[in-house]
Amino acid sequence: MDPFVVAPAPDPRRQRAEYFPIFAAYVGKLQEAMEEGRDPGGVEGVDPTQMLVEWFERLKVDLEEEKTHREAHIQTLYDQLEVLWKRMGITDEDIDDFVELNRGSSTDNVRAYELELERMLEMKREKMSMFIGNARVEIEQLWDDLMFSEEEREVFAAFHDDEHSEDLLTIHEEEIVKLKNERRSKAPILVSIRKYYQICEEQKQLEISASDQSRLLGRGTRGDPGRLLREEKMRKRVVKEKPKLEQELLISVPHWEEENGKPLLVNGIHFMGVLQEAVRVEEAKADTKKRQRTNSTVGRSITPGPGSNPPSNAHSRKASVALSIAPSLRSASGSSHASSALSISTNSTTS
């Protein structure tokens, strides 16, 4: 052979026509040997030339690349199908049967996944209205969980769009993701807020019940003998839990607002403002009760003791007037003036 003569490049089509039958024969022999559990050996009557070996090497690389491509394609199809199967309510048993039946990366397996995706997409188009309706039910539940006001709910205008489409469904699904993330960030605070409102409602019930004097005489409790006991338990729970929840929320709510850069709203109202006002009112009530107890103690200290002469009606009225003006004197002019007023009124009753 002349070393200066360049050999012509091999023709791929001719090589395939010549070598592929050899490859097919070997594959058939390999499958037969695997079924019988023996060594397949070689293919008789074949001369393993350099070109044949190189062709087989290239074929091996091509087949490995094709296998990788098909497996990636099947995985992509499966990822899409998994979402659709769940949305369509396909049972886990049916899904497992399909996957098991189409295990592998043959062209038949790939085609089976493609056909299943087409079937699911068609079913999805037929049930688009149902999917959007289900998404809206989930959004409403999230709104309730987050204690959104009507104004806050109206911000999501797509909720009232009647043109059902894939894009509209996508918008709803994105809204669900956003609301779930917000609920996750607020979860501990929302639990405390609900407990706080429950305690406030119990406190309101106790105040209403306290104005019902019949419950002390038994007339209102004959059909409910455990009422007073329940009220006492409720009162203890309010006294114990309400201040603790208030202090907890006074810390956690501002922290959340600082992290998220916006006020925390409950039914459209800034919760922190409501909480601070409630605490202020409660403190004012406690201060009023404290002053009333102090005034009551002062009134009892000047009441005539046993054996003393009862005052006349006129003198009694003078004492009552003095007692009624004593607190105002104390607040306006100091305790010394109040003491003088009390002492004058006492002298007038005994003269």
Side-chain angles (χ1 to χ4, degrees):
M1 178 180 290
D2 190 343
F4 296 102
V5 176
V6 178
D11 182 0
R13 286 179 296 181
R14 187 186 66 79
Q15 281 188 325
R16 182 176 178 82
E18 181 181 351
Y19 297 150
F20 199 81
I22 300 173
F23 171 71
Y26 177 75
V27 170
K29 190 174 182 180
L30 177 63
Q31 290 177 336
E32 183 181 336
M34 290 176 64
E35 291 173 358
E36 297 176 359
R38 58 179 176 80
D39 183 16
V43 180
E44 297 177 358
V46 176
D47 182 16
T49 64
Q50 182 66 26
M51 292 184 66
L52 178 61
V53 172
E54 290 176 355
W55 184 85
F56 268 95
E57 289 291 339
R58 288 196 302 273
L59 179 62
K60 177 175 177 291
V61 172
D62 291 343
L63 290 175
E64 287 175 344
E65 289 178 353
E66 178 65 18
K67 180 175 182 290
T68 301
H69 171 73
R70 289 181 184 179
E71 288 175 344
H73 183 45
I74 288 175
Q75 184 62 50
T76 300
L77 293 168
Y78 177 85
D79 292 342
Q80 297 177 66
L81 281 167
E82 188 176 27
V83 176
L84 290 168
W85 281 331
K86 181 179 180 181
R87 186 175 294 163
M88 298 294 176
I90 306 300
T91 65
D92 291 341
E93 183 180 358
D94 289 341
I95 295 173
D96 292 340
D97 289 344
F98 175 84
V99 172
E100 187 62 31
L101 184 63
N102 295 284
R103 192 174 295 280
S105 56
S106 68
T107 53
D108 290 340
N109 297 139
V110 173
R111 187 56 183 158
Y113 272 91
E114 290 173 343
L115 290 172
E116 178 67 6
L117 180 59
E118 290 178 8
R119 186 176 76 89
M120 288 293 105
L121 289 173
E122 179 61 28
M123 188 182 297
K124 178 182 177 180
R125 283 188 289 271
E126 293 173 355
K127 297 185 176 182
M128 185 63 65
S129 296
M130 182 188 73
F131 292 148
I132 292 175
N134 291 341
R136 286 175 175 172
V137 169
E138 187 172 0
I139 286 173
E140 284 185 318
Q141 181 59 56
L142 288 165
W143 282 342
D144 291 341
D145 293 345
L146 290 164
M147 293 185 278
F148 272 19
S149 65
E150 289 299 324
E151 291 76 11
E152 291 175 287
R153 300 177 190 221
E154 289 298 326
V155 172
F156 184 59
F159 192 84
H160 304 288
D161 193 339
D162 294 330
E163 295 294 329
H164 295 174
S165 65
E166 180 71 26
D167 289 341
L168 184 62
L169 178 61
T170 300
I171 291 172
H172 280 70
E173 290 173 340
E174 290 172 351
E175 184 69 11
I176 288 172
V177 172
K178 186 186 79 171
L179 292 172
K180 283 184 176 179
N181 288 336
E182 183 171 351
R183 183 178 64 178
R184 189 179 302 111
S185 74
K186 288 181 177 178
I189 295 177
L190 290 174
V191 170
S192 296
I193 289 175
R194 284 193 169 86
K195 286 182 180 178
Y196 179 69
Y197 280 145
Q198 181 181 354
I199 288 291
C200 289
E201 182 61 28
E202 291 181 358
Q203 185 180 32
K204 182 179 178 181
Q205 292 176 12
L206 287 171
E207 291 172 353
I208 294 173
S209 180
S211 64
D212 180 12
Q213 298 300 322
S214 64
R215 81 192 202 287
L216 301 176
L217 303 175
R219 289 194 296 270
T221 58
R222 288 177 181 174
D224 188 7
R227 175 179 173 182
L228 295 178
L229 179 60
R230 287 198 309 274
E231 288 180 0
E232 182 59 27
K233 289 182 178 179
M234 189 185 297
R235 187 175 293 103
K236 289 180 179 179
R237 185 164 58 250
V238 169
V239 171
K240 178 182 178 182
E241 296 295 332
K242 190 166 183 281
K244 185 166 63 175
L245 284 168
E246 287 172 342
Q247 293 306 311
E248 177 186 325
L249 289 167
L250 285 170
I251 295 172
S252 60
V253 172
H255 180 68
W256 185 92
E257 292 180 338
E258 183 179 355
E259 280 190 343
N260 292 271
K262 61 179 181 179
L264 191 147
L265 304 181
V266 174
N267 297 319
I269 301 173
H270 186 201
F271 177 76
M272 197 60 191
V274 173
L275 178 63
Q276 289 172 335
E277 177 63 16
V279 171
R280 186 193 67 77
V281 170
E282 201 67 28
E283 289 175 349
K285 284 183 180 179
D287 188 51
T288 300
K289 288 181 180 179
K290 183 178 178 180
R291 288 200 304 271
Q292 288 174 345
R293 285 195 299 270
T294 302
N295 294 340
S296 176
T297 302
V298 172
R300 286 196 301 271
S301 68
I302 63 173
T303 301
S308 61
N309 295 325
S312 64
N313 291 338
H315 290 168
S316 297
R317 283 195 297 270
K318 292 180 181 178
S320 299
V321 171
L323 286 173
S324 66
I325 67 171
S328 60
L329 289 172
R330 183 185 302 108
S331 59
S333 306
S335 60
S336 61
H337 291 129
S339 301
S340 299
L342 288 173
S343 119
I344 292 169
S345 64
T346 306
N347 293 333
S348 66
T349 60
T350 58
S351 60

